[in-house]
Amino acid sequence: MDPQRFTQLMKITAPIMNGSAFQIKTAQTGLCFASLLTWMQVGLSGGFIVGPTRHGKTCAARWALKAIKKALAIFLPIYEIPVRKQIDARERAFFEHILRCVRHRDWKDGTAGTKRNRLNDFLAARARTSPLKTVVLYFDEAQFLHDQHWEWLLNIANESVESNIRIFFLFSGPQELAQAREKYVARGMTQLVGRFMSVVFEINGLKSREQLAECLQEFSDVVYPKAKGQRLVSHFVDPSVRADFSLASYASAMWEGFSAKADEVYPQGDLTDNLILPMHYVTAAVLHFLTGLATNEEPGFTDAQLLEHAISACGFIDFIRSTNIERKAEERYG
């Protein structure tokens, strides 16, 4: 194996795995886009995207928000705030973190009140650059928000009304984020629930061979890196050598491969009958398979062998084992 070639391929695959390169359309991201667009059209202030771990919540939110900008053909400021896990909710640290995420040049200076006012002024100014007078704040890993955080966000929302602009708040996280909503409903915090939590989109992975084939076709068609102007797969498979190469043609074999791994943990077939593939492991398997094709040396392995190895190496089997342990614990301890 050529180390230089392998390093070049890693420079391509690493940004894709961490979600910073691009997001692709799947059945679930399409539904997410439709939900978010409806929420914004009817004037809602925010909503939740929830789902199991590794099923693609963050990438779905990013893809859907970009698709909204494209569909509306307008400028729409969007800021992503990864929520930090904190033992104590501190107002100064909270607003400082948001200011830093929106790339405000004075994010470090001032008291908590100064930072809050600075953020409000910044959001108002940015919203007014959009024809909709709207700015989007997307909070990822929102299950880490404390009660006090929600109240501070409510203050920001209220002050946006006074500024005659709109802030759309989007929050994503695991199922426990939806459970937080139930907690606030039970406590009678109707203003908070009505402002941020009235709607929820539940995301899952790929549920069928057909959805997997559509996903693989998106991988085949995507151009990355854009500066080079060539399709992603062409970095791994020479089109002059394999002109008919298509990732989508491997959908059935890949689905069967993932099903076989699930059968190793659930031999009764109670998982494979309702198999859902988390996008994280699909992406990892695709990139591992492409890298295998690119670095395969004579006499080499067959495509089937490379695909089987990619599925084994992508981490899916460990994920299934962990979910099996969790399920057994729930059955034992309730």
Side-chain angles (χ1 to χ4, degrees), residues 150-222:
W150 289 107
E151 293 182 11
W152 293 331
L153 290 177
L154 186 60
N155 291 337
I156 293 176
N158 289 335
E159 291 180 23
S160 71
V161 176
E162 296 178 5
S163 299
N164 197 30
I165 59 119
R166 179 187 179 194
I167 304 175
F168 182 78
F169 295 85
L170 183 64
F171 307 90
S172 70
Q175 293 292 347
E176 63 189 87
L177 181 59
Q179 295 169 4
R181 182 180 75 152
E182 301 306 317
K183 177 184 70 173
Y184 291 119
V185 170
R187 288 165 56 179
M189 302 177 70
T190 55
Q191 186 180 11
L192 182 63
V193 173
R195 181 80 70 168
F196 302 129
M197 309 176 183
S198 61
V199 287
V200 178
F201 177 79
E202 294 190 18
I203 195 167
N204 284 294
L206 305 178
K207 298 181 178 180
S208 68
R209 287 178 176 82
E210 292 73 23
Q211 289 187 2
L212 178 58
E214 292 172 359
C215 173
L216 295 179
Q217 188 60 51
E218 288 287 327
F219 272 111
S220 290
D221 294 340
V222 70

Side-chain angles (χ1 to χ4, degrees), residues 5 9 233 235-238 288-297 306:
R5 170 68 169 149
L9 295 176
V233 294
H235 296 284
F236 302 87
V237 180
D238 188 345
H288 199 290
F289 176 53
L290 288 175
T291 301
L293 291 171
T295 57
N296 196 21
E297 298 176 350
L306 291 172

Side-chain angles (χ1 to χ4, degrees), residues 118-142:
R118 185 176 296 142
L119 177 61
N120 286 329
D121 292 341
F122 174 84
L123 295 176
R126 295 300 292 159
R128 293 187 183 109
T129 64
S130 170
L132 298 179
K133 291 187 178 180
T134 299
V135 62
V136 177
L137 292 183
Y138 166 44
F139 292 84
D140 192 22
E141 301 293 349

Side-chain angles (χ1 to χ4, degrees), residues 9-309:
L9 295 176
M10 286 186 66
K11 289 181 179 179
I12 296 173
T13 59
I16 299 174
M17 280 307 304
N18 67 29
S20 63
F22 61 84
Q23 293 79 44
I24 63 170
K25 181 181 179 180
T26 66
Q28 287 291 301
T29 58
L31 292 172
C32 183
F33 158 75
S35 294
L36 265 60
L37 183 59
T38 299
W39 297 351
M40 295 183 71
Q41 286 176 331
V42 300
L44 298 180
S45 298
F48 284 2
I49 299 176
V50 301
T53 182
R54 298 302 191 181
H55 279 239
K57 297 179 292 295
T58 303
C59 287
R62 291 171 178 169
W63 186 90
L65 290 171
K66 289 180 180 178
I68 288 173
K69 291 176 66 172
K70 186 175 181 180
L72 298 179
I74 60 169
F75 176 69
L76 181 65
I78 298 172
Y79 298 101
E80 181 175 331
I81 297 99
V83 180
R84 294 170 170 173
K85 187 174 183 179
Q86 294 177 304
I87 297 176
D88 298 315
R90 299 177 185 233
E91 188 175 14
R92 186 177 185 275
F94 182 61
F95 287 118
E96 181 175 296
H97 179 57
I98 297 178
L99 284 168
R100 186 175 185 181
C101 290
V102 302
R103 294 181 174 84
H104 195 288
R105 63 182 181 182
D106 297 323
W107 60 272
K108 282 201 267 186
D109 303 326
T111 64
T114 301
K115 291 179 185 295
R116 183 182 63 249
N117 293 335
R118 185 176 296 142
L119 177 61
N120 286 329
D121 292 341
F122 174 84
L123 295 176
R126 295 300 292 159
R128 293 187 183 109
T129 64
S130 170
L132 298 179
K133 291 187 178 180
T134 299
V135 62
V136 177
L137 292 183
Y138 166 44
F139 292 84
D140 192 22
E141 301 293 349
Q143 72 274 14
F144 295 134
L145 290 171
H146 293 233
D147 290 358
Q148 196 65 55
H149 291 142
W150 289 107
E151 293 182 11
W152 293 331
L153 290 177
L154 186 60
N155 291 337
I156 293 176
N158 289 335
E159 291 180 23
S160 71
V161 176
E162 296 178 5
S163 299
N164 197 30
I165 59 119
R166 179 187 179 194
I167 304 175
F168 182 78
F169 295 85
L170 183 64
F171 307 90
S172 70
Q175 293 292 347
E176 63 189 87
L177 181 59
Q179 295 169 4
R181 182 180 75 152
E182 301 306 317
K183 177 184 70 173
Y184 291 119
V185 170
R187 288 165 56 179
M189 302 177 70
T190 55
Q191 186 180 11
L192 182 63
V193 173
R195 181 80 70 168
F196 302 129
M197 309 176 183
S198 61
V199 287
V200 178
F201 177 79
E202 294 190 18
I203 195 167
N204 284 294
L206 305 178
K207 298 181 178 180
S208 68
R209 287 178 176 82
E210 292 73 23
Q211 289 187 2
L212 178 58
E214 292 172 359
C215 173
L216 295 179
Q217 188 60 51
E218 288 287 327
F219 272 111
S220 290
D221 294 340
V222 70
V223 174
Y224 180 78
K226 286 188 176 182
K228 293 189 176 182
Q230 63 187 93
R231 293 188 305 142
L232 170 68
V233 294
S234 67
H235 296 284
F236 302 87
V237 180
D238 188 345
S240 65
V241 177
R242 299 185 63 173
D244 60 344
F245 178 82
S246 171
L247 274 173
S249 66
Y250 296 90
S252 183
M254 182 174 284
W255 185 270
E256 293 300 328
F258 278 113
S259 296
K261 293 302 177 185
D263 282 338
E264 292 180 17
V265 181
Y266 294 88
Q268 295 81 13
D270 52 349
L271 177 63
T272 54
D273 291 341
N274 299 286
L275 183 63
I276 298 177
L277 299 182
M279 273 302 300
H280 175 84
Y281 302 108
V282 172
T283 302
V286 167
L287 296 178
H288 199 290
F289 176 53
L290 288 175
T291 301
L293 291 171
T295 57
N296 196 21
E297 298 176 350
E298 296 295 337
F301 299 97
T302 66
D303 286 7
Q305 290 172 323
L306 291 172
L307 183 59
E308 181 181 2
H309 180 65

